[in-house]
mmCIF file of all heavy atoms in Angstrom:
data_model
loop_
_atom_site.group_PDB
_atom_site.id
_atom_site.type_symbol
_atom_site.label_atom_id
_atom_site.label_comp_id
_atom_site.label_asym_id
_atom_site.label_seq_id
_atom_site.Cartn_x
_atom_site.Cartn_y
_atom_site.Cartn_z
ATOM 1 N N SER A 353 -9.591 -5.454 -7.338
ATOM 2 C CA SER A 353 -10.894 -4.889 -6.986
ATOM 3 C C SER A 353 -10.714 -3.875 -5.871
ATOM 4 O O SER A 353 -9.845 -4.023 -5.011
ATOM 5 C CB SER A 353 -11.825 -6.021 -6.526
ATOM 6 O OG SER A 353 -12.929 -5.500 -5.843
ATOM 7 N N ASP A 354 -11.555 -2.846 -5.882
ATOM 8 C CA ASP A 354 -11.501 -1.837 -4.817
ATOM 9 C C ASP A 354 -11.909 -2.412 -3.469
ATOM 10 O O ASP A 354 -11.680 -1.795 -2.438
ATOM 11 C CB ASP A 354 -12.418 -0.653 -5.167
ATOM 12 C CG ASP A 354 -11.868 0.185 -6.304
ATOM 13 O OD1 ASP A 354 -10.657 0.092 -6.568
ATOM 14 O OD2 ASP A 354 -12.648 0.914 -6.936
ATOM 15 N N THR A 355 -12.507 -3.608 -3.488
ATOM 16 C CA THR A 355 -12.921 -4.211 -2.216
ATOM 17 C C THR A 355 -11.795 -5.013 -1.557
ATOM 18 O O THR A 355 -11.922 -5.446 -0.428
ATOM 19 C CB THR A 355 -14.129 -5.159 -2.442
ATOM 20 O OG1 THR A 355 -13.731 -6.250 -3.286
ATOM 21 C CG2 THR A 355 -15.286 -4.415 -3.086
ATOM 22 N N ILE A 356 -10.678 -5.229 -2.294
ATOM 23 C CA ILE A 356 -9.518 -5.942 -1.752
ATOM 24 C C ILE A 356 -8.541 -4.924 -1.189
ATOM 25 O O ILE A 356 -8.017 -4.069 -1.899
ATOM 26 C CB ILE A 356 -8.821 -6.787 -2.849
ATOM 27 C CG1 ILE A 356 -9.793 -7.767 -3.486
ATOM 28 C CG2 ILE A 356 -7.604 -7.506 -2.275
ATOM 29 C CD1 ILE A 356 -10.206 -8.911 -2.614
ATOM 30 N N VAL A 357 -8.286 -4.989 0.102
ATOM 31 C CA VAL A 357 -7.347 -4.098 0.813
ATOM 32 C C VAL A 357 -7.516 -2.630 0.385
ATOM 33 O O VAL A 357 -6.582 -2.018 -0.128
ATOM 34 C CB VAL A 357 -5.880 -4.551 0.618
ATOM 35 C CG1 VAL A 357 -4.994 -3.931 1.681
ATOM 36 C CG2 VAL A 357 -5.744 -6.069 0.668
ATOM 37 N N PRO A 358 -8.698 -2.057 0.580
ATOM 38 C CA PRO A 358 -8.899 -0.653 0.189
ATOM 39 C C PRO A 358 -7.985 0.310 0.943
ATOM 40 O O PRO A 358 -7.643 1.384 0.433
ATOM 41 C CB PRO A 358 -10.372 -0.395 0.526
ATOM 42 C CG PRO A 358 -10.732 -1.438 1.539
ATOM 43 C CD PRO A 358 -9.911 -2.638 1.184
ATOM 44 N N LEU A 359 -7.570 -0.079 2.143
ATOM 45 C CA LEU A 359 -6.671 0.783 2.916
ATOM 46 C C LEU A 359 -5.335 0.956 2.206
ATOM 47 O O LEU A 359 -4.726 2.033 2.259
ATOM 48 C CB LEU A 359 -6.460 0.179 4.312
ATOM 49 C CG LEU A 359 -5.606 0.981 5.295
ATOM 50 C CD1 LEU A 359 -6.136 2.388 5.482
ATOM 51 C CD2 LEU A 359 -5.528 0.248 6.633
ATOM 52 N N ASP A 360 -4.864 -0.084 1.525
ATOM 53 C CA ASP A 360 -3.590 0.013 0.803
ATOM 54 C C ASP A 360 -3.672 1.061 -0.292
ATOM 55 O O ASP A 360 -2.743 1.858 -0.474
ATOM 56 C CB ASP A 360 -3.219 -1.347 0.203
ATOM 57 C CG ASP A 360 -1.948 -1.275 -0.633
ATOM 58 O OD1 ASP A 360 -0.888 -0.985 -0.045
ATOM 59 O OD2 ASP A 360 -2.015 -1.478 -1.852
ATOM 60 N N LYS A 361 -4.773 1.053 -1.035
ATOM 61 C CA LYS A 361 -4.931 2.019 -2.122
ATOM 62 C C LYS A 361 -4.907 3.453 -1.588
ATOM 63 O O LYS A 361 -4.266 4.341 -2.147
ATOM 64 C CB LYS A 361 -6.244 1.754 -2.868
ATOM 65 C CG LYS A 361 -6.462 2.642 -4.080
ATOM 66 C CD LYS A 361 -7.735 2.268 -4.812
ATOM 67 C CE LYS A 361 -7.914 3.154 -6.043
ATOM 68 N NZ LYS A 361 -9.155 2.818 -6.775
ATOM 69 N N LYS A 362 -5.586 3.652 -0.473
ATOM 70 C CA LYS A 362 -5.644 4.996 0.113
ATOM 71 C C LYS A 362 -4.282 5.426 0.652
ATOM 72 O O LYS A 362 -3.844 6.563 0.450
ATOM 73 C CB LYS A 362 -6.698 5.023 1.228
ATOM 74 C CG LYS A 362 -7.019 6.433 1.716
ATOM 75 C CD LYS A 362 -8.210 6.441 2.649
ATOM 76 C CE LYS A 362 -8.535 7.894 3.012
ATOM 77 N NZ LYS A 362 -9.616 7.987 4.004
ATOM 78 N N LEU A 363 -3.600 4.504 1.314
ATOM 79 C CA LEU A 363 -2.283 4.826 1.865
ATOM 80 C C LEU A 363 -1.255 5.036 0.761
ATOM 81 O O LEU A 363 -0.411 5.939 0.852
ATOM 82 C CB LEU A 363 -1.803 3.706 2.792
ATOM 83 C CG LEU A 363 -2.431 3.629 4.179
ATOM 84 C CD1 LEU A 363 -1.901 2.413 4.929
ATOM 85 C CD2 LEU A 363 -2.144 4.899 4.979
ATOM 86 N N TYR A 364 -1.316 4.210 -0.291
ATOM 87 C CA TYR A 364 -0.317 4.338 -1.355
ATOM 88 C C TYR A 364 -0.438 5.685 -2.057
ATOM 89 O O TYR A 364 0.576 6.310 -2.403
ATOM 90 C CB TYR A 364 -0.426 3.200 -2.375
ATOM 91 C CG TYR A 364 0.795 3.166 -3.270
ATOM 92 C CD1 TYR A 364 1.906 2.427 -2.905
ATOM 93 C CD2 TYR A 364 0.854 3.927 -4.438
ATOM 94 C CE1 TYR A 364 3.055 2.424 -3.695
ATOM 95 C CE2 TYR A 364 1.989 3.936 -5.228
ATOM 96 C CZ TYR A 364 3.088 3.177 -4.847
ATOM 97 O OH TYR A 364 4.229 3.203 -5.615
ATOM 98 N N SER A 365 -1.659 6.148 -2.273
ATOM 99 C CA SER A 365 -1.848 7.462 -2.907
ATOM 100 C C SER A 365 -1.188 8.553 -2.091
ATOM 101 O O SER A 365 -0.602 9.498 -2.631
ATOM 102 C CB SER A 365 -3.345 7.756 -3.060
ATOM 103 O OG SER A 365 -3.954 6.831 -3.919
ATOM 104 N N LEU A 366 -1.249 8.401 -0.775
ATOM 105 C CA LEU A 366 -0.628 9.387 0.114
ATOM 106 C C LEU A 366 0.889 9.228 0.134
ATOM 107 O O LEU A 366 1.634 10.215 0.099
ATOM 108 C CB LEU A 366 -1.196 9.233 1.529
ATOM 109 C CG LEU A 366 -0.913 10.369 2.517
ATOM 110 C CD1 LEU A 366 -1.462 11.692 2.006
ATOM 111 C CD2 LEU A 366 -1.515 10.044 3.877
ATOM 112 N N ARG A 367 1.369 7.992 0.182
ATOM 113 C CA ARG A 367 2.813 7.744 0.165
ATOM 114 C C ARG A 367 3.445 8.303 -1.099
ATOM 115 O O ARG A 367 4.559 8.829 -1.083
ATOM 116 C CB ARG A 367 3.089 6.240 0.263
ATOM 117 C CG ARG A 367 2.825 5.643 1.632
ATOM 118 C CD ARG A 367 2.821 4.131 1.586
ATOM 119 N NE ARG A 367 4.095 3.607 1.072
ATOM 120 C CZ ARG A 367 4.245 2.414 0.516
ATOM 121 N NH1 ARG A 367 3.193 1.616 0.369
ATOM 122 N NH2 ARG A 367 5.430 2.028 0.092
ATOM 123 N N ASP A 368 2.706 8.197 -2.199
ATOM 124 C CA ASP A 368 3.219 8.618 -3.500
ATOM 125 C C ASP A 368 3.528 10.115 -3.542
ATOM 126 O O ASP A 368 4.423 10.551 -4.260
ATOM 127 C CB ASP A 368 2.196 8.255 -4.578
ATOM 128 C CG ASP A 368 2.791 8.277 -5.973
ATOM 129 O OD1 ASP A 368 3.983 7.938 -6.114
ATOM 130 O OD2 ASP A 368 2.072 8.623 -6.923
ATOM 131 N N VAL A 369 2.793 10.903 -2.775
ATOM 132 C CA VAL A 369 2.980 12.365 -2.807
ATOM 133 C C VAL A 369 3.673 12.895 -1.552
ATOM 134 O O VAL A 369 3.799 14.115 -1.377
ATOM 135 C CB VAL A 369 1.624 13.096 -3.002
ATOM 136 C CG1 VAL A 369 1.045 12.764 -4.360
ATOM 137 C CG2 VAL A 369 0.636 12.766 -1.896
ATOM 138 N N THR A 370 4.129 11.987 -0.680
ATOM 139 C CA THR A 370 4.812 12.428 0.545
ATOM 140 C C THR A 370 6.214 11.823 0.671
ATOM 141 O O THR A 370 6.807 11.851 1.742
ATOM 142 C CB THR A 370 3.991 12.067 1.805
ATOM 143 O OG1 THR A 370 3.754 10.644 1.823
ATOM 144 C CG2 THR A 370 2.669 12.806 1.840
ATOM 145 N N ALA A 371 6.742 11.283 -0.423
ATOM 146 C CA ALA A 371 8.106 10.727 -0.452
ATOM 147 C C ALA A 371 8.312 9.613 0.564
ATOM 148 O O ALA A 371 9.396 9.451 1.112
ATOM 149 C CB ALA A 371 9.141 11.841 -0.239
ATOM 150 N N THR A 372 7.265 8.815 0.813
ATOM 151 C CA THR A 372 7.390 7.696 1.756
ATOM 152 C C THR A 372 7.176 6.343 1.069
ATOM 153 O O THR A 372 6.954 5.341 1.740
ATOM 154 C CB THR A 372 6.387 7.853 2.921
ATOM 155 O OG1 THR A 372 5.069 8.051 2.401
ATOM 156 C CG2 THR A 372 6.755 9.024 3.815
ATOM 157 N N VAL A 373 7.253 6.311 -0.259
ATOM 158 C CA VAL A 373 7.112 5.030 -0.972
ATOM 159 C C VAL A 373 8.277 4.086 -0.665
ATOM 160 O O VAL A 373 8.063 2.920 -0.336
ATOM 161 C CB VAL A 373 6.969 5.254 -2.498
ATOM 162 C CG1 VAL A 373 7.110 3.934 -3.240
ATOM 163 C CG2 VAL A 373 5.611 5.878 -2.817
ATOM 164 N N PRO A 374 9.549 4.542 -0.735
ATOM 165 C CA PRO A 374 10.664 3.600 -0.547
ATOM 166 C C PRO A 374 10.951 3.249 0.911
ATOM 167 O O PRO A 374 12.028 3.518 1.447
ATOM 168 C CB PRO A 374 11.850 4.319 -1.197
ATOM 169 C CG PRO A 374 11.540 5.755 -1.060
ATOM 170 C CD PRO A 374 10.046 5.884 -1.101
ATOM 171 N N SER A 375 9.982 2.664 1.569
ATOM 172 C CA SER A 375 10.121 2.200 2.951
ATOM 173 C C SER A 375 9.885 0.698 2.946
ATOM 174 O O SER A 375 8.808 0.240 2.558
ATOM 175 C CB SER A 375 9.091 2.898 3.853
ATOM 176 O OG SER A 375 8.881 2.176 5.031
ATOM 177 N N ILE A 376 10.875 -0.079 3.359
ATOM 178 C CA ILE A 376 10.761 -1.540 3.268
ATOM 179 C C ILE A 376 9.551 -2.082 4.028
ATOM 180 O O ILE A 376 8.789 -2.879 3.489
ATOM 181 C CB ILE A 376 12.082 -2.217 3.691
ATOM 182 C CG1 ILE A 376 13.074 -2.089 2.525
ATOM 183 C CG2 ILE A 376 11.875 -3.689 4.056
ATOM 184 C CD1 ILE A 376 14.438 -2.627 2.780
ATOM 185 N N PRO A 377 9.305 -1.683 5.284
ATOM 186 C CA PRO A 377 8.108 -2.228 5.941
ATOM 187 C C PRO A 377 6.808 -1.826 5.255
ATOM 188 O O PRO A 377 5.872 -2.636 5.172
ATOM 189 C CB PRO A 377 8.190 -1.665 7.362
ATOM 190 C CG PRO A 377 9.191 -0.580 7.332
ATOM 191 C CD PRO A 377 10.118 -0.890 6.213
ATOM 192 N N LEU A 378 6.732 -0.616 4.714
ATOM 193 C CA LEU A 378 5.513 -0.186 4.032
ATOM 194 C C LEU A 378 5.339 -0.916 2.699
ATOM 195 O O LEU A 378 4.225 -1.286 2.322
ATOM 196 C CB LEU A 378 5.520 1.334 3.815
ATOM 197 C CG LEU A 378 5.395 2.190 5.080
ATOM 198 C CD1 LEU A 378 5.536 3.671 4.746
ATOM 199 C CD2 LEU A 378 4.067 1.933 5.795
ATOM 200 N N ILE A 379 6.434 -1.138 1.975
ATOM 201 C CA ILE A 379 6.363 -1.905 0.727
ATOM 202 C C ILE A 379 5.934 -3.338 1.030
ATOM 203 O O ILE A 379 5.056 -3.905 0.371
ATOM 204 C CB ILE A 379 7.718 -1.912 -0.002
ATOM 205 C CG1 ILE A 379 8.139 -0.506 -0.416
ATOM 206 C CG2 ILE A 379 7.664 -2.821 -1.236
ATOM 207 C CD1 ILE A 379 9.588 -0.400 -0.865
ATOM 208 N N ALA A 380 6.573 -3.945 2.031
ATOM 209 C CA ALA A 380 6.278 -5.335 2.385
ATOM 210 C C ALA A 380 4.818 -5.512 2.785
ATOM 211 O O ALA A 380 4.149 -6.456 2.366
ATOM 212 C CB ALA A 380 7.196 -5.793 3.518
ATOM 213 N N SER A 381 4.315 -4.588 3.585
ATOM 214 C CA SER A 381 2.922 -4.666 4.030
ATOM 215 C C SER A 381 1.963 -4.488 2.856
ATOM 216 O O SER A 381 0.946 -5.175 2.759
ATOM 217 C CB SER A 381 2.659 -3.611 5.103
ATOM 218 O OG SER A 381 1.331 -3.695 5.549
ATOM 219 N N SER A 382 2.297 -3.571 1.952
ATOM 220 C CA SER A 382 1.450 -3.313 0.787
ATOM 221 C C SER A 382 1.350 -4.567 -0.087
ATOM 222 O O SER A 382 0.255 -4.980 -0.486
ATOM 223 C CB SER A 382 2.024 -2.149 -0.022
ATOM 224 O OG SER A 382 1.292 -1.946 -1.203
ATOM 225 N N ILE A 383 2.487 -5.175 -0.382
ATOM 226 C CA ILE A 383 2.492 -6.370 -1.236
ATOM 227 C C ILE A 383 1.815 -7.541 -0.536
ATOM 228 O O ILE A 383 0.927 -8.202 -1.081
ATOM 229 C CB ILE A 383 3.934 -6.746 -1.634
ATOM 230 C CG1 ILE A 383 4.526 -5.690 -2.582
ATOM 231 C CG2 ILE A 383 3.972 -8.132 -2.304
ATOM 232 C CD1 ILE A 383 6.000 -5.867 -2.882
ATOM 233 N N MET A 384 2.243 -7.817 0.697
ATOM 234 C CA MET A 384 1.791 -9.033 1.367
ATOM 235 C C MET A 384 0.330 -8.964 1.793
ATOM 236 O O MET A 384 -0.353 -9.991 1.822
ATOM 237 C CB MET A 384 2.677 -9.333 2.570
ATOM 238 C CG MET A 384 4.079 -9.796 2.196
ATOM 239 S SD MET A 384 4.092 -11.283 1.151
ATOM 240 C CE MET A 384 3.516 -12.519 2.326
ATOM 241 N N SER A 385 -0.185 -7.789 2.104
ATOM 242 C CA SER A 385 -1.606 -7.699 2.467
ATOM 243 C C SER A 385 -2.474 -8.128 1.293
ATOM 244 O O SER A 385 -3.487 -8.815 1.464
ATOM 245 C CB SER A 385 -1.971 -6.283 2.925
ATOM 246 O OG SER A 385 -1.758 -5.335 1.893
ATOM 247 N N LYS A 386 -2.061 -7.758 0.060
ATOM 248 C CA LYS A 386 -2.830 -8.145 -1.133
ATOM 249 C C LYS A 386 -2.644 -9.628 -1.447
ATOM 250 O O LYS A 386 -3.565 -10.304 -1.895
ATOM 251 C CB LYS A 386 -2.421 -7.271 -2.322
ATOM 252 C CG LYS A 386 -2.813 -5.801 -2.164
ATOM 253 C CD LYS A 386 -2.698 -5.043 -3.453
ATOM 254 C CE LYS A 386 -1.275 -4.752 -3.856
ATOM 255 N NZ LYS A 386 -0.637 -3.676 -3.088
ATOM 256 N N LYS A 387 -1.421 -10.136 -1.219
ATOM 257 C CA LYS A 387 -1.179 -11.570 -1.449
ATOM 258 C C LYS A 387 -1.975 -12.417 -0.454
ATOM 259 O O LYS A 387 -2.522 -13.458 -0.817
ATOM 260 C CB LYS A 387 0.309 -11.886 -1.317
ATOM 261 C CG LYS A 387 1.234 -11.201 -2.312
ATOM 262 C CD LYS A 387 0.986 -11.645 -3.750
ATOM 263 C CE LYS A 387 0.145 -10.679 -4.540
ATOM 264 N NZ LYS A 387 -0.173 -11.122 -5.898
ATOM 265 N N LEU A 388 -2.018 -11.990 0.777
ATOM 266 C CA LEU A 388 -2.716 -12.745 1.823
ATOM 267 C C LEU A 388 -4.231 -12.655 1.682
ATOM 268 O O LEU A 388 -4.962 -13.518 2.167
ATOM 269 C CB LEU A 388 -2.287 -12.248 3.199
ATOM 270 C CG LEU A 388 -0.814 -12.492 3.562
ATOM 271 C CD1 LEU A 388 -0.415 -11.647 4.780
ATOM 272 C CD2 LEU A 388 -0.545 -13.965 3.827
ATOM 273 N N ALA A 389 -4.702 -11.608 1.017
ATOM 274 C CA ALA A 389 -6.150 -11.410 0.870
ATOM 275 C C ALA A 389 -6.782 -12.412 -0.092
ATOM 276 O O ALA A 389 -7.973 -12.669 -0.028
ATOM 277 C CB ALA A 389 -6.445 -9.984 0.405
#
């Protein structure tokens, strides 16, 4: 749902076009924020 961790969706769209997807802390935060939600 767009109401679950909306910040992740916004940040991921930006990471996708700025070559910052393969960052371990950013990947970990993206996955775990949704799991914890």
Side-chain angles (χ1 to χ4, degrees):
S353 164
D354 289 341
T355 64
I356 303 289
V357 198
L359 183 55
D360 176 64
K361 184 177 181 180
K362 191 171 184 185
L363 284 177
Y364 193 89
S365 297
L366 194 59
R367 287 168 58 203
D368 197 34
V369 295
T370 57
T372 53
V373 168
S375 160
I376 283 177
L378 291 175
I379 297 167
S381 181
S382 175
I383 292 172
M384 289 302 291
S385 61
K386 293 193 286 285
K387 298 295 99 183
L388 295 165

